[in-house]
Amino acid sequence: MKTKKQVRELLENLSLPEKAAQLIQLTGNFFEGSGIETGPSMGVELPPEMVRHAGSILNVTGAETLRKVQENYLKNSKNKIPLLFMADVINGYRTVFPIPLAQGCSFNPELVKAGAKASARESAAAGLHVTFSPMADLCRDSRWGRVMESTGEDVWLNRRMVRAMVEGYQGDSLDTPQTVAACVKHFAAYGAPEAGREYNSVDMSEKKLLEEYLPAYKEAVEAGCALVMTSFNTLNGIPATANKWLNREILREQWGFDGVLISDYAAIHELMEHGVAETEDQAAELGIRAGVDMDMVSPAYGNHLVKLVEEGFIPEEMVDECVLHILELKNRLGLLDNPFRFDQETMDREQACLGCKEHKELAKSLAGESMVLLKNEGILPISERSSGKKIALIGPFADSRLLCGSWSMFYQEEEVVTLQQGMEEVFGVDRLLTAEGSFLLEKEEEFLPFKGQPITGREERERSGKTDEELLREAVGLASEADVVILTLGEHPQQSGEGGARTNLCLPGCQRKLLKEICKVNQKVAVLLFSGRPLAIPEVEEKAQAILQVWFPGTEGGSAMADILSGRMVPSGRLAMSFPWCVGQEPLAYSRLSTGRPVRPDQPNRFSSGYIDAPDRPLYPFGFGLSYTAFSYRDVRLDKKEFGKGEDFCVKGTVKNTGEYPGAETVLCFVQDVCGSTARPERELKGFEKIFLRQEEEVEFSITIKEEELRFITAEGVFETEPGIYRVFAGGETLEIRRKE
Ligand code: GLC
């Protein structure tokens, strides 16, 4: 690896145009790689010298392809500084893991870290240097399509998951054939767009921003995340990509981030659309002054930086600072010593990890731990042994390979294990009666996917050649003969993800009709729900005897679902994001303020903080999740009666598996600051521990609550805890502890 001095000398030997070119990221079509476009097609026109010396390309993958791109690039390059290869490996490369929102529900950071490590290994084997992950946006509005990329609504859980992913991707060094640099995104608060509408403005108090929306990004920086990506949204009127306060004062000065700050896709150019720059050179100037090191796919830096320096609008030192961040990252990756990072033998060896058995087993475990049992009136698990009992497997996801979510672009569809395949493996082909039952979409439904032609309910029907009535009739016939029905319902994976904002969270009418008709002829119906977001499913809650939220579970989803249905795996997931009764409740979060007139369910009152047409609480709250077994707690206690500044305390107790299955219980610790100089949330998660227990096994747990984790911005604007009573909720108990004067 080069010394800092050598990297600085490299910078000093660059011409101004070469420096500017290092700050550009282009799509693969400028080179020999035909990459995947993940944003609006930009007719990017750049001077050839800028292309010849560009710093990076994105979303081109494959060791062979990228080796050729690098070879040809270096042939034409004067300064021989290699390209950086970045891509969106959000939940896996060739082996696809559950979508991140599902991974959040596992409450198992160690397993999530192992998944990220496997994804990094496959990404590095595919020639990549950087993944645009983790997404640390706090998400409390299910209308927004990108909740599927987050790990949900809770600050504490997000921080733990983001740290796990950064550590998994980056390992102990970036200069290894099994790690890649992580890029935390989208900085900042992109997950709080008004009305849940994609790219919409974000407006919130600095207090809310600092207490709730920034901590997960900060956690990533503290975990050593090598890159940060700016977000598309305005934050209190200023686009994040032009936001000096956010990017220089908070990120660089307060948090000490010294890595690469990259814009999101064309976000610098889009400062004109935001109306904060009249011309593209003004947009370029705003970006560089806000400290954005690299311009993703927009022509702003490539067309204007040189002139802005030559005409004295920006000091060359400002460009140097950005180039240095990029050269230092290339150096950390080993690229300045070897443009191909590793010899051919190493790269050939690493190909064996792509989709390997070990990674698939990991994906299956994580998928199983990410699924959340929302209801079970004794019909799950289904015994593998009762060969006489027929199982009807019905619905649009029964044999679907659409299990990987909207951000999985590098996997082989034929490697996806469908639910039907998984169930045949576990229960045997003879026990299964299968039928599609309904289409995924209403006939008149249509929407634009991430790429390609519109997805329409009409096209579904044309392709099938069957009518809604025929599908329904066939399914009802099977259901009436079966002992139990597995009914698969949900949304298309492309109805969530970027550009996937929705105003309606209900299942389509054709699926609701299927549910109704099946439940008329069979009283043992288990619904498996496939979605990239919490859906509004009161009719499923009312009619089905069991509900398993499976999200988009990835390559091994079918085998994980079959293992859960048969009891080979016992569900242990808990919701990382609340499920509403209806879209009107959004945005929704459990950690809310009580208001002056909280709803008292036992005292109906017009003058209370509720709705006249819906409950004030979610259908299923954050942290909810059932098991096949049962757990009991005893002796839950605090290790002290009071604590002071800097003094941590512990929640201790014993948890026992009192049921008939082995299982994992996640002990959740919530804390409430009962009275503060500002109103404080009814409860906030401040610790959790996932514990695996065999039948009748019991263990003592001890969860440390750090005083610094209870601090907030007081009415005087000071970040501290205040004297008074704190309630601790754990193991079904409510305990109290005093913060002393
Ligand atoms: C997209 C997304 C971002 C992604 C980037 C590169 O627009 O906002 O999450 O990493 O562009 O594909």
Side-chain angles (χ1 to χ4, degrees):
M1 206 173 290
K2 298 273 184 278
T3 64
K4 270 197 177 299
K5 184 169 174 294
Q6 287 170 320
V7 175
R8 166 71 64 178
E9 282 162 3
L10 196 55
L11 166 70
E12 284 156 6
N13 291 334
L14 297 179
S15 66
L16 178 57
E18 286 176 298
K19 290 177 183 176
Q22 279 298 312
L23 310 189
I24 299 169
Q25 181 175 71
L26 296 174
T27 46
N29 51 294
F30 281 87
F31 302 86
E32 291 67 27
S34 56
I36 294 169
E37 293 232 312
T38 53
S41 296
M42 296 278 302
V44 173
E45 300 286 331
L46 283 171
E49 183 180 22
M50 287 294 143
V51 177
R52 200 164 49 249
H53 287 105
S56 172
I57 64 172
L58 83 162
N59 283 327
V60 177
T61 63
E64 229 8 75
T65 302
L66 290 174
R67 173 175 280 275
K68 283 202 188 74
V69 168
Q70 197 73 279
E71 277 167 358
N72 293 333
Y73 170 86
L74 291 169
K75 265 191 216 121
N76 299 325
S77 159
K78 186 164 77 58
N79 56 47
K80 307 297 178 200
I81 297 171
L83 275 168
L84 262 181
F85 299 136
M86 305 192 196
D88 291 287
V89 181
I90 307 301
N91 47 302
Y93 179 77
R94 172 76 169 274
T95 306
V96 179
F97 291 84
I99 57 171
L101 184 55
Q103 294 191 34
C105 297
S106 72
F107 277 80
N108 189 338
E110 281 313 303
L111 194 55
V112 167
K113 179 174 175 179
K117 187 175 174 195
S119 301
R121 186 167 182 189
E122 293 193 0
S123 303
L128 292 171
H129 306 142
V130 176
T131 176
F132 294 127
S133 174
M135 188 261 224
D137 306 336
L138 188 70
C139 294
R140 294 174 167 172
D141 193 328
S142 190
R143 292 172 293 182
W144 190 50
R146 302 193 75 167
V147 300
M148 54 79 63
E149 301 173 55
S150 77
T151 49
E153 71 181 67
D154 182 71
V155 179
W156 179 267
L157 180 64
N158 273 1
R159 288 173 56 192
R160 297 286 305 282
M161 289 294 165
V162 161
R163 174 174 285 273
M165 290 178 188
V166 170
E167 292 173 353
Y169 290 133
Q170 299 194 162
D172 299 329
S173 160
L174 297 186
D175 190 10
T176 82
Q178 294 167 0
T179 53
V180 290
C183 176
V184 66
K185 64 189 187 182
H186 305 81
F187 193 62
Y190 177 29
E194 283 182 19
R197 183 157 56 86
E198 183 58 284
Y199 311 128
N200 202 5
S201 43
V202 171
D203 228 273
M204 66 175 70
S205 68
E206 193 172 311
K207 174 180 168 69
K208 180 173 274 292
L209 185 69
L210 295 172
E211 285 178 353
E212 299 178 70
Y213 282 82
L214 291 190
Y217 307 109
K218 186 178 182 197
E219 191 78 25
V221 169
E222 288 171 349
C225 194
L227 298 92
V228 174
M229 183 190 293
T230 67
S231 56
F232 290 120
N233 54 286
T234 55
L235 177 57
N236 299 335
I238 300 174
T241 305
N243 200 313
K244 284 190 278 193
W245 174 76
L246 201 55
N247 299 330
R248 288 194 183 277
E249 201 172 312
I250 299 286
L251 183 64
R252 297 279 186 198
E253 287 156 32
Q254 289 187 21
W255 296 357
F257 177 65
D258 60 0
V260 170
L261 179 63
I262 185 170
S263 78
D264 201 339
Y265 202 102
I268 293 179
H269 177 83
E270 290 169 2
L271 294 176
M272 291 190 283
E273 288 292 348
H274 278 293
V276 297
E278 284 184 30
T279 56
E280 195 174 68
D281 57 339
Q282 286 176 8
E285 183 176 354
L286 286 175
I288 202 89
R289 287 190 176 284
V292 179
D293 297 320
M294 186 166 262
D295 177 356
M296 183 192 290
V297 180
S298 105
Y301 279 12
N303 282 329
H304 305 287
L305 273 189
V306 172
K307 195 154 44 48
L308 285 168
V309 172
E310 286 170 347
E311 293 173 3
F313 288 96
I314 52 168
E316 185 161 355
E317 292 70 30
M318 206 172 264
V319 173
D320 289 351
E321 177 193 33
C322 299
V323 178
L324 215 45
H325 289 143
I326 289 161
L327 293 181
E328 280 163 356
L329 174 61
K330 293 183 178 182
N331 191 34
R332 285 181 64 193
L333 285 157
L335 284 168
L336 299 186
D337 294 319
N338 174 358
F340 306 101
R341 293 182 83 197
F342 314 105
D343 58 43
Q344 193 58 46
E345 185 192 338
T346 304
M347 290 308 285
D348 291 347
R349 184 196 68 223
E350 284 303 308
Q351 297 310 305
C353 85
L354 292 169
C356 67
K357 188 168 177 293
E358 180 199 346
H359 289 177
K360 287 186 174 174
E361 280 169 3
L362 196 52
K364 178 177 170 180
S365 301
L366 188 47
E369 290 209 27
S370 303
M371 294 175 189
V372 186
L373 186 61
L374 298 173
K375 182 177 183 181
N376 187 23
E377 291 172 344
I379 67 168
L380 295 180
I382 301 165
S383 163
E384 290 179 52
R385 280 174 294 283
S386 42
S387 55
K389 290 201 181 298
K390 291 292 180 195
I391 305 169
L393 172 57
I394 294 170
F397 284 95
D399 198 27
S400 167
R401 293 189 192 285
L402 293 174
L403 304 185
C404 295
S406 67
W407 269 108
S408 301
M409 309 183 276
F410 311 113
Y411 69 104
Q412 312 285 330
E413 192 165 298
E414 64 274 10
E415 290 181 358
V416 174
V417 179
T418 71
L419 174 58
Q420 181 170 329
Q421 288 169 327
M423 290 185 71
E424 285 170 354
E425 184 63 33
V426 169
F427 295 102
V429 177
D430 299 343
R431 288 185 63 189
L432 293 188
L433 308 167
T434 61
E436 196 175 343
S438 91
F439 295 104
L440 196 46
L441 304 172
E442 286 295 10
K443 186 172 185 176
E444 58 282 351
E445 256 186 292
E446 70 171 73
F447 59 91
L448 282 174
F450 207 82
K451 51 190 180 294
Q453 293 309 306
I455 293 175
T456 71
R458 217 179 354 271
E459 199 269 331
E460 263 194 299
R461 287 159 176 78
E462 285 156 13
R463 205 176 50 232
S464 152
K466 289 188 176 176
T467 65
D468 290 62
E469 293 70 26
E470 284 167 339
L471 290 186
L472 186 59
R473 195 166 37 250
E474 181 194 13
V476 171
L478 292 187
S480 57
E481 296 164 30
D483 296 282
V484 65
V485 177
I486 302 298
L487 180 56
T488 66
L489 304 173
E491 65 174 357
H492 192 286
Q494 291 290 333
Q495 286 180 286
S496 60
E498 185 172 356
R502 298 182 67 182
T503 59
N504 174 358
L505 299 176
C506 297
L507 289 168
C510 54
Q511 291 189 36
R512 294 206 304 273
K513 184 167 174 54
L514 175 64
L515 169 70
K516 185 177 166 204
E517 296 307 317
I518 294 293
C519 291
K520 276 182 188 168
V521 299
N522 195 305
Q523 271 64 54
K524 289 189 174 182
V525 177
V527 165
L528 269 56
L529 202 56
F530 297 72
S531 68
R533 56 162 45 93
L535 293 176
I537 52 162
E539 71 283 343
V540 181
E541 161 60 26
E542 181 202 341
K543 291 181 168 42
Q545 285 70 44
I547 305 170
L548 181 70
Q549 173 67 24
V550 298
W551 306 106
F552 290 112
T555 312
E556 290 300 306
S559 41
M561 287 183 276
D563 277 13
I564 293 273
L565 292 174
S566 64
R568 289 185 184 184
M569 281 176 90
V570 175
S572 63
R574 289 175 176 269
L575 290 181
M577 194 170 175
S578 305
F579 271 59
W581 281 91
C582 58
V583 68
Q585 287 186 317
E586 298 291 344
L588 196 52
Y590 81 90
S591 58
R592 61 186 197 176
L593 302 183
S594 78
T595 78
R597 295 184 174 176
V599 170
R600 306 262 188 243
D602 56 346
Q603 301 161 22
N605 177 346
R606 169 82 184 197
F607 303 106
S608 63
S609 171
Y611 304 98
I612 60 171
D613 59 355
D616 74 305
R617 306 248 161 206
L619 174 58
Y620 305 114
F622 170 86
F624 181 78
L626 303 174
S627 175
Y628 294 153
T629 188
F631 299 95
S632 67
Y633 288 84
R634 63 183 172 79
D635 196 15
V636 179
R637 64 198 184 282
L638 297 175
D639 67 341
K640 53 181 79 167
K641 292 193 180 314
E642 58 180 25
F643 68 100
K645 183 177 167 66
E647 280 178 32
D648 305 337
F649 58 87
C650 284
V651 188
K652 296 174 181 285
T654 301
V655 58
K656 180 176 182 180
N657 180 344
T658 56
E660 296 156 31
Y661 291 87
E665 167 69 346
T666 299
V667 182
L668 300 173
C669 285
F670 295 92
V671 178
Q672 177 191 19
D673 178 353
V674 175
C675 185
S677 59
T678 70
R680 307 289 295 124
E682 291 173 331
R683 58 180 62 197
E684 293 176 288
L685 185 69
K686 292 297 179 184
F688 65 84
E689 187 179 341
K690 188 165 191 174
I691 302 168
F692 182 84
L693 294 166
R694 281 183 297 282
Q695 297 89 312
E696 294 310 309
E697 186 183 6
E698 66 175 14
V699 292
E700 168 90 5
F701 62 83
S702 174
I703 296 172
T704 300
I705 307 291
K706 292 184 168 306
E707 183 270 336
E708 67 193 49
E709 296 297 349
L710 305 180
R711 294 175 190 168
F712 70 105
I713 297 172
T714 66
E716 284 67 48
V718 181
F719 190 68
E720 61 181 6
T721 50
E722 297 172 326
I725 296 295
Y726 286 71
R727 281 202 194 104
V728 180
F729 307 91
E733 301 292 337
T734 301
L735 309 166
E736 290 197 351
I737 187 168
R738 170 178 295 281
R739 167 39 163 106
K740 52 194 175 191
E741 292 296 334

